[in-house]
Structure formats: structure tokens, C-alpha cells
């Protein structure tokens, strides 16, 4: 670790003091331990740090003050007497730090990942390191087409660029950023904390809020595209319609269609398909839908000119999108009638609306390791720390309510929150408390949903919708709700992965026929046998339903893919194709693990499963498992040509 960032501290002791006041004491304590190797801080802080779901620290103020003073002295000493910071702790100390950071034992599985995360920024371990860098002529002759310039396509492009491999990005939208450009519905934003939901190699210390809204996220991705100069290699307003593998040349023929309908061809040695799975909106199959005379909008195809103020609005759907739209528009509309088919579990979060204090931004930018430890705490609290709450305990006595003891505790926590928001006798309770265990559908953070339901201009309808008429929505009992506009917060055609692109691999095999309707599979969610050099980002079984951060998944996948490409290019081969038994064994394990997870719970529906009930969309593993699986590349799993 270089000491250059400590120069700032030496000249700005007052800012350092202010930052220490604003920063999280538990995170500062971890930095202090890392710099001093004094494990006694861990012993003193540990009893005051609680694990996920109700994650918080309750250290007494005198202890916090000691931590701040101790760290101030240590940092100023480094600043005044420049010397290298100590190396990353090893052995038991790192394990103890991880356990204390998480507020519960996390086990040794996280040590290697955390060591990688604590590496000095100058070495980016998730980028490609050539073993034997090929000459420029070899690299220039290799061309990758990246389909999509959203979060995952941009990550892929940045890694290709760093490795010196030429690429072209084809993007259907008018700009980069994918989902954060497309989704502009009122209230759109993240429900994963931003300091975790950002590229590990492009941390943003200036997020205005812990959970940023769409415009700020969009700007973040636009900024990353500019910084890495991705636009000059991006064909905007252009859609890939077909990819066909040529067995003779071991290359891909790509057909792209411009907005004006004209088509052109590209040749690619490899394809990185980064189109996401939540981008083809799904409209419900309700009789009379097209007869509605007012305005109809899907959340993912929002009309920025639509003015909801003073209007009577119906909203169908109460998932993550609806949960953000409803409370945002409710204060301004005449009436909001919400049609809910099934309720979601919703968790309160004290930081959800919180702004990031200037001192905290300064700490993130200037205090060494602070941002990395903060990220790990978020990683645990919003991802892997929740995983065990989703695993079915076969001995559990009350399976309609919950699936294991931890899951039951989480249920109690969320139920208490709902009752405290609505009141113990509210007739709404029967409608909003789910009758399935927590995490059976995607968990949501409370966006003032229950406060919204108590508004006099908001109604929650749980009767089945029978039809849509020109005037509005009719429920099964014949009641018509007349409205000016219908908002469809009804989600995406997730199971139609990579659709409607035509993808033909070896011997003309059509990927959509291999996958049949709705049953996508891929080794590590990335590689399909007989589709050489075709790499899927955020493919089958890589969605995160226990919590977490899709960017983390993408970084893991891209690292793995880059290692595949390294193997091909350095060995002078043309293509890499996963062996069918390797793919099949992976899928078998995924299916088997899913059998023991909450998403396959009896009677439950969610978008993670296909019509046959197979979980095709989400990951059954912990993030650390996926990190491990994608950090090693085993050539024996592949055929090379
Ligand atoms: P979704 O979770 O699939 O929710 C769709 C909603 O529409 C559900 O409430 C569903 O009811 C309802 N619905 C569908 N068809 C219906 C019908 N025919 N009649 C009545 N109701 C119907 O979609 P989403 O809210 O757009 O979210 C999709 C995913 O996008 C999320 O799970 C998340 O991964 C991502 N997302 C993330 C954020 C974020 O903050 N990070 C924000 C938005 C979206 P049932 O539940 O009964 O099926």
C-alpha cells in the first residue's frame, strides 16, 4: 500500500477529526485493528455489534471516542512519518476481524475473498493478468462483440480494454447504463446499499444517499463509460438480432440492426452477451387489456411526459417496482388503487432515506481501508449473512409460517414492523402479511409502503381482476374501479433469456431449442456446451435472491471469462467450449440445492421459477461460493479447438 492518500491527512487534521465523528465506529475500529494489530479492540467492540437483519452497533460513546482518538493518532503518525502501511492481516486475526465486522461468525471461507478486497487499489485482482502476454498483432486479430452497454457489458468492456483485446459494444438504447437508463418510473432507485452496489474498481465516495435514486445511478454509469472511453467503441441505437457460429473458422457472425431497420454484419472471435434478464417488460394477460381508454404505462417503459398529479390511478403489481412507484406518486394523485395479487415481505431500514454525511464521504475517500471494510459489512448484512435464513430445515415444525429458526426470527421482525406501521387492529394486516415464509419472493425495503396504505386517497384491492374495460378495472365481484391511468408494475419476461436474439452454435444448434421454452441453463450461469466462445453475463441461475449485488456477480463472471479468453489466446487456439458433463453436473447440483431453498416452497409463486417449477433465475450458492468457483479456471473442463 502506498502512502500517497495519507498526505491528505497530514495537511487536513481537522477534516480527519470531522470524518472520524461522522464515520461508522465499528468500521473505524476494524481499520484501527488492521493498522495496529491490536486485537483487544475487537474484544471490546464485539459485544456491541449485531448481525444481519437488525444490523447495528451499540458501542458505548466512551468506546467510540477511544476508537476515534486511537485512529486519529495512528493515522497522523503515518502521515507525519511516512512508511508503508502494514500488510493485510493473515491467519486468525483476519478471521476475528471478519467475525466481529459481521456481528456473528462468518467462518474462514471469507478470508481469501477479503484478502483480495483489501489489496491495494494499484493491483486489481479481478482484472486479467497475462501469463505470457501475446504480441499486439495476435491481440489485434482477436475481436470480441459485447452485446449490451449496461452495467455488465460495461464491466466486460473495461476488462477487455485493460487486457488489450479489441471489442465492439452493440447497445439497443440511445445511451449506455442499461437498466438505469431504461427504468425512469417515479421513485426508481436501488434497494442495495450503494457503497456495495458499485464497481469494486470504481468506488464512488460521493453517493448523496445510502440508496441512490435512478438519476444518480445513471450518472454514475455514464461517468464510468466516459472515464474508460467506452463510447468510441459502442454502436448505440443498434440491436443484435442473430449470432451464428461458423464451425470452419471458429468465429461468430453477428447481425446487428440499426434503429432505421438497416442491418449490418460483424465478425467476432468471441461474444459476451450482457443483455440482462429484466429488460423485456411483461404485461398481464387480462381480458380487455387493450380496450382501456386512458393512459397505460409499464414501469420499465415510463413516459416522462406523463403527469399523474390529480389523476385517478390504478397500479397492478406490488413487487420491487410497484413498491417504489406507489409511495412516490400517492401524495399527488387524486386516487391510487393498488391491485395486489400477493403481498411481499418488507424489511425496515433506518438508512433507506438517509443522506451520506460529508464527513462519511471524506472518510470513504481518505481513510485507508475504511471503504473496503464498510463494503464487507454491507456484503454480510445484505447478502451472505442472510443466506442461512433461506435454507429449509427439514425438521422445522411450522413450515407454512417459516422454514427455519432464523427465518422465523426474521418473520417476527418484519411482522412487528408491519403491525407497528399499520396498528395492531388494522384491517389491512390480513391483506399485507404474506402467508408464505420470508424470502419466498424478493425481499423489499420499506419505502413508506404502509404509511402510503393509510392515506385516505389510497385503496388496496386484493380481489382477483376479472377484466379491463375502457373505464378501468373490474374485479371478480363485478366492482368497477374507474381510473384515468393504469400503471403496470407487473415485472419482466425473465424466463425468455436472450430472447428474441437468434443464437446458433456448433452445427447450427439453436440455443432457444436447447433451452426449450423457459429452461435456460449454463455452467456457472455463463457457458453452454456447443456454443464456443459465447459467454453469458448474468445468465441462468446468477440472479440474487438472498440479497447482494449483481455487480459483484458480474465482476466474478467477467474475471472467469477473461481467464477463458486468456487460455484460448495464449495457447494459440481459436475457441473454448464447456464439456457437457461439466455443465450437466453443475445444473444437477444447482437444482438439488434449490430443492432445499425457500423459493421452491410449496404453493409459492415467484419469477425465479419457470412454468415447470424449476428455478432457472437465481443462485442457490452464497456469494463467496460463486466468487471461489469463478476465481479458479480449470482447462480440463473445456474442449479447445
Ligand atoms: P415483479 O417482482 O415480478 O412483480 C410483479 C408484480 O406484478 C407482482 O406483484 C405480481 O404478483 C404482479 N402481477 C403480475 N402479473 C399479474 C396479474 N396478471 N395480475 C395481477 N398481478 C400481477 O416485478 P418488478 O416489481 O418489476 O421487479 C422485478 C425485479 O426487478 C425485482 O425482483 C428486482 O430483482 C428488480 N428490481 C429491483 C429494484 C431495486 O430497487 N433494486 C427495483 C425494481 C425492480 P405476484 O407476486 O402474485 O406474481
Amino acid at each position: 500500500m502506498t502512502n500517497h492518500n495519507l498526505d491528505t491527512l497530514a495537511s487536513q487534521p481537522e477534516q480527519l477529526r470531522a470524518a472520524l465523528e461522522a464515520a461508522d465506529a465499528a468500521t473505524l475500529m476494524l481499520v484501527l485493528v488492521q493498522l495496529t494489530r491490536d486485537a483487544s479492540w475487537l474484544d471490546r467492540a464485539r459485544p456491541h455489534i449485531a448481525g444481519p437483519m437488525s444490523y447495528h452497533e451499540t458501542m458505548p460513546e466512551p468506546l467510540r471516542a477511544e476508537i476515534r482518538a486511537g485512529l486519529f493518532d495512528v493515522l497522523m503518525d503515518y502521515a507525519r512519518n511516512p512508511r508503508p502501511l502494514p500488510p493485510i492481516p493473515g491467519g486468525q486475526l483476519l478471521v476475528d476481524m471478519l467475525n466481529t465486522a459481521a456481528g456473528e461468525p462468518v467462518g474462514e471461507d471469507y478470508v481469501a475473498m477479503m484478502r483480495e478486497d483489501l489489496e491495494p487499489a494499484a493491483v486489481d485482482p479481478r482484472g486479467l493478468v497475462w501469463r505470457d502476454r501475446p504480441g499486439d498483432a495476435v491481440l489485434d486479430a482477436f475481436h470480441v462483440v459485447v452485446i449490451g452497454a449496461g452495467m455488465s457489458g460495461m464491466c466486460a468492456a473495461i476488462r477487455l480494454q485493460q487486457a488489450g483485446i479489441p471489442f465492439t459494444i452493440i447497445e439497443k438504447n440511445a445511451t449506455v447504463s442499461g437498466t438505469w437508463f431504461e427504468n425512469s418510473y417515479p421513485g426508481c432507485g436501488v434497494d442495495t446499499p450503494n457503497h456495495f452496489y458499485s464497481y469494486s474498481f470504481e468506488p464512488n465516495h460521493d453517493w448523496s444517499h445510502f440508496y441512490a435514486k435512478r438519476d444518480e445511478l445513471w450518472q454514475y454509469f455514464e461517468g464510468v463509460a466516459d472515464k474508460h472511453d467506452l463510447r468510441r467503441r459502442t454502436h448505440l441505437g443498434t440491436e443484435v438480432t442473430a449470432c451464428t457460429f461458423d464451425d470452419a473458422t471458429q468465429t461468430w457472425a453477428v447481425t446487428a440492426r440499426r434503429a432505421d431497420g438497416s442491418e449490418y454484419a460483424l465478425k467476432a472471435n468471441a461474444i459476451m452477451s450482457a443483455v440482462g434478464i429484466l429488460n423485456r417488460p411483461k404485461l398481464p394477460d387480462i381480458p380487455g387489456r387493450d380496450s382501456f381508454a386512458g393512459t397505460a404505462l409499464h414501469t420499465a417503459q415510463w413516459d416522462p411526459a406523463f403527469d399523474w398529479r390529480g389523476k385517478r390511478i390504478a397500479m397492478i403489481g406490488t413487487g420491487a417496482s410497484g413498491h417504489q412507484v406507489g409511495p412516490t406518486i400517492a401524495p399527488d394523485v387524486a386516487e391510487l388503487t393498488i391491485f395486489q395479487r400477493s403481498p411481499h415481505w418488507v424489511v425496515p431500514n433506518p438508512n433507506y432515506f438517509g443522506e451520506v454525511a460529508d464527513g462519511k464521504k471524506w472518510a470513504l475517500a481518505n481513510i485507508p481501508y475504511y471503504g473496503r471494510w464498510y463494503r464487507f459489512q454491507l456484503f454480510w448484512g445484505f447478502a451472505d449473512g442472510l443466506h442461512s435464513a433461506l435454507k429449509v430445515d427439514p425438521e422445522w415444525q411450522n413450515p407454512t409460517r417459516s422454514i427455519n429458526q432464523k427465518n422465523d426470527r426474521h418473520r417476527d421482525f418484519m411482522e412487528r414492523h408491519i403491525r407497528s406501521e399499520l396498528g395492531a387492529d388494522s384491517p389491512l394486516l390480513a391483506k399485507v402479511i404474506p402467508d408464505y415464509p420470508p424470502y419466498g419472493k424478493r425481499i423489499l425495503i420499506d419505502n413508506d409502503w404502509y404509511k402510503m396504505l393509510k392515506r385516505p386517497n389510497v385503496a388496496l384491492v386484493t380481489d382477483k381482476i376479472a377484466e379491463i374495460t375502457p373505464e378501468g378495472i373490474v374485479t371478480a365481484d363485478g366492482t368497477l374501479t374507474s381510473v384515468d391511468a393504469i400503471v403496470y408494475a407487473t415485472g419482466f419476461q425473465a424466463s425468455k433469456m436472450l430472447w428474441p436474439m437468434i443464437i446458433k452454435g456448433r452445427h447450427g444448434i439453436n440455443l432457444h431449442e436447447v433451452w426449450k421454452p423457459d429452461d435456460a441453463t449454463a455452467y456457472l450461469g455463463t457457458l453452454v456446451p456447443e456454443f464456443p466462445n459465447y459467454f453469458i453475463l448474468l445468465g441462468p441461475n446468477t440472479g440474487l435472491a438472498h440479497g447482494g449485488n449483481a455487480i459483484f456477480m458480474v465482476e466474478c463472471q467477467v474475471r472467469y471469462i477473461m481467464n477463458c479468453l486468456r487460455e484460448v489466446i495464449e495457447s494459440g487456439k481459436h475457441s473454448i467450449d464447456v464439456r457437457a458433463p461439466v455443465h450437466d453436473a453443475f445444473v444437477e447440483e444447482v437444482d438439488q440445492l434449490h430443492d432445499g431453498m425457500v423459493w421452491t416452497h410449496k404453493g409459492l409463486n415467484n419469477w425465479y421459477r419457470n412454468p415447470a417449477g424449476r428455478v432457472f433465475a437465481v443462485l442457490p450458492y452464497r456469494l463467496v461460493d460463486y466468487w471461489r468457483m469463478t476465481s479458479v479456471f480449470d482447462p480440463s473442463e473445456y474442449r479447445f479447438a
Side-chain angles (χ1 to χ4, degrees):
M1 178 91 185
T2 57
N3 279 340
H4 69 272
N5 51 355
L6 294 179
D7 300 345
T8 323
L9 304 186
S11 60
Q12 301 182 359
E14 289 319 309
Q15 276 94 331
L16 174 59
R17 272 190 212 288
L20 292 169
E21 288 292 333
D24 292 79
T27 320
L28 294 174
M29 181 274 301
L30 294 160
V31 176
L32 183 56
V33 173
Q34 183 165 340
L35 297 182
T36 61
R37 306 298 155 121
D38 180 353
S40 68
W41 293 106
L42 297 173
D43 298 332
R44 295 175 65 195
R46 193 172 298 117
H48 310 291
I49 301 176
M53 184 50 66
S54 55
Y55 184 83
H56 61 291
E57 64 83 5
T58 50
M59 284 192 247
E61 186 45 36
L63 176 55
R64 291 201 192 118
E66 270 189 73
I67 291 167
R68 290 194 289 263
L71 189 53
F72 181 86
D73 290 345
V74 170
L75 289 172
M76 291 309 284
D77 185 52
Y78 269 104
R80 289 187 191 115
N81 307 296
R83 58 197 189 279
L85 293 175
I88 302 163
Q92 194 54 41
L93 180 59
L94 187 54
V95 175
D96 290 346
M97 289 174 80
L98 289 165
N99 291 344
T100 310
E104 62 183 352
V106 304
E108 300 200 359
D109 293 353
Y110 291 83
V111 168
M113 189 190 76
M114 195 58 197
R115 285 188 68 78
E116 182 179 283
D117 244 23
L118 289 173
E119 280 294 337
V123 182
D124 187 344
R126 290 181 194 153
L128 180 70
V129 181
W130 291 107
R131 290 166 301 202
D132 179 14
R133 190 182 191 282
D136 289 346
V138 173
L139 290 181
D140 288 348
F142 201 90
H143 180 232
V144 179
V145 166
V146 179
I147 310 175
M151 171 273 283
S152 46
M154 284 172 54
C155 180
I158 290 166
R159 293 307 193 198
L160 288 164
Q161 187 155 268
Q162 288 168 345
I165 300 175
F167 63 92
T168 304
I169 311 177
I170 311 285
E171 167 56 55
K172 72 175 166 30
N173 291 327
T175 187
V176 300
S177 311
T179 201
W180 296 113
F181 167 68
E182 286 177 11
N183 283 270
S184 62
Y185 59 79
C188 180
V190 269
D191 61 6
T192 302
N194 267 127
H195 297 97
F196 183 28
Y197 188 85
S198 35
Y199 296 119
S200 65
F201 54 88
E202 285 298 349
N204 176 11
H205 307 307
D206 287 325
W207 291 114
S208 65
H209 290 74
F210 292 100
Y211 295 84
K213 290 298 176 199
R214 175 261 185 185
D215 283 356
E216 194 171 357
L217 288 150
W218 179 30
Q219 289 315 315
Y220 168 78
F221 287 105
E222 294 279 334
V224 172
D226 285 336
K227 181 174 170 190
H228 291 271
D229 201 10
L230 300 182
R231 289 177 214 273
R232 73 193 163 94
R233 293 178 184 235
T234 307
H235 299 189
L236 294 172
T238 306
E239 196 162 346
V240 169
T241 55
C243 306
T244 308
F245 188 69
D246 178 2
D247 292 275
T249 59
Q250 301 286 306
T251 57
W252 285 89
V254 177
T255 309
R257 186 174 56 212
R258 300 184 187 90
D260 65 7
S262 62
E263 292 194 339
Y264 62 99
L266 292 97
K267 201 175 126 181
N269 298 82
I271 293 178
M272 287 162 92
S273 175
V275 298
I277 66 166
L278 298 174
N279 63 8
R280 303 278 170 186
K282 186 178 79 187
L283 286 168
D285 207 4
I286 299 172
R289 195 189 70 214
D290 292 336
S291 72
F292 181 60
T295 306
L297 312 100
H298 188 280
T299 48
Q301 291 172 329
W302 198 261
D303 175 0
F306 174 65
D307 185 1
W308 58 85
R309 282 172 299 182
K311 300 217 166 69
R312 298 164 307 159
I313 311 277
M315 182 170 81
I316 303 177
T318 53
S321 302
H323 198 76
Q324 294 181 333
V325 174
T328 310
I329 64 171
D332 301 321
V333 301
E335 292 166 14
L336 174 62
T337 310
I338 298 169
F339 291 84
Q340 172 192 281
R341 191 162 64 179
S342 32
H344 275 242
W345 280 108
V346 174
V347 65
N349 184 298
N351 267 348
Y352 191 52
F353 300 106
E355 289 183 31
V356 185
D358 285 345
K360 200 172 250 184
K361 292 179 190 169
W362 198 95
L364 286 159
N366 295 295
I367 296 182
Y369 301 117
Y370 179 85
R372 295 289 160 177
W373 277 108
Y374 184 52
R375 219 173 137 90
F376 175 74
Q377 289 173 296
L378 298 176
F379 177 96
W380 188 257
F382 289 85
D384 277 10
L386 300 170
H387 191 266
S388 56
L390 282 73
K391 286 166 99 164
V392 176
D393 172 358
E395 308 293 319
W396 187 245
Q397 292 300 315
N398 203 347
T400 52
R401 203 189 119 79
S402 51
I403 51 162
N404 64 35
Q405 194 173 29
K406 193 170 184 180
N407 188 272
D408 202 66
R409 272 208 324 272
H410 290 192
R411 181 185 177 112
D412 276 346
F413 178 70
M414 288 185 263
E415 265 200 61
R416 271 203 307 280
H417 170 67
I418 299 173
R419 288 178 202 283
S420 74
E421 286 287 304
L422 293 177
D425 303 323
S426 169
L428 285 168
L429 291 176
K431 291 183 174 182
V432 299
I433 296 181
D435 61 0
Y436 58 86
Y439 306 99
K441 288 174 184 282
R442 189 177 183 283
I443 206 92
L444 306 178
I445 296 187
D446 189 5
N447 187 35
D448 282 347
W449 183 255
Y450 305 105
K451 287 189 177 64
M452 171 202 68
L453 290 179
K454 289 197 292 186
R455 294 182 64 89
N457 65 337
V458 174
L460 182 67
V461 176
T462 51
D463 295 334
K464 191 173 165 21
I465 298 173
E467 62 169 329
I468 293 176
T469 66
E471 296 77 33
I473 296 180
V474 181
T475 43
D477 63 356
T479 307
L480 165 70
T481 303
S482 297
V483 290
D484 303 310
I486 299 178
V487 171
Y488 291 104
T490 44
F492 299 88
Q493 306 186 52
S495 63
K496 302 252 174 296
M497 247 178 227
L498 306 195
W499 176 83
M501 276 187 291
I502 297 164
I503 300 152
K504 290 190 176 168
R506 267 190 217 290
H507 319 302
I509 299 170
N510 186 328
L511 183 63
H512 294 297
E513 282 168 20
V514 174
W515 281 351
K516 303 192 190 69
D518 309 305
D519 201 12
T521 58
Y523 178 51
L524 299 173
T526 304
L527 294 124
V528 184
E530 307 294 349
F531 293 82
N533 289 7
Y534 195 96
F535 305 101
I536 305 165
L537 293 169
L538 292 186
N541 292 111
T542 57
L544 295 176
H546 71 283
N549 163 16
I551 300 181
F552 177 89
M553 294 298 290
V554 163
E555 288 189 22
C556 291
Q557 282 189 309
V558 171
R559 182 217 317 240
Y560 189 82
I561 295 166
M562 294 303 291
N563 282 336
C564 293
L565 291 179
R566 178 175 72 176
E567 199 68 27
V568 171
I569 298 173
E570 284 188 357
S571 63
K573 304 276 193 218
H574 299 285
S575 70
I576 179 167
D577 185 10
V578 65
R579 292 179 188 278
V582 174
H583 164 274
D584 296 351
F586 175 79
V587 174
E588 201 181 316
E589 181 176 274
V590 163
D591 289 349
Q592 199 190 345
L593 289 170
H594 274 310
D595 282 346
M597 301 297 286
V598 65
W599 311 300
T600 47
H601 196 76
K602 220 165 165 239
L604 188 69
N605 82 313
N606 52 43
W607 64 260
Y608 311 149
R609 301 165 80 180
N610 65 14
R614 182 177 170 271
V615 181
F616 70 91
V618 297
L619 185 79
Y621 304 101
R622 301 170 304 171
L623 294 189
V624 73
D625 301 320
Y626 194 74
W627 173 87
R628 184 179 38 75
M629 292 178 204
T630 49
S631 60
V632 238
F633 172 78
D634 177 358
S636 72
E637 295 180 335
Y638 293 91
R639 287 190 299 163
F640 293 88

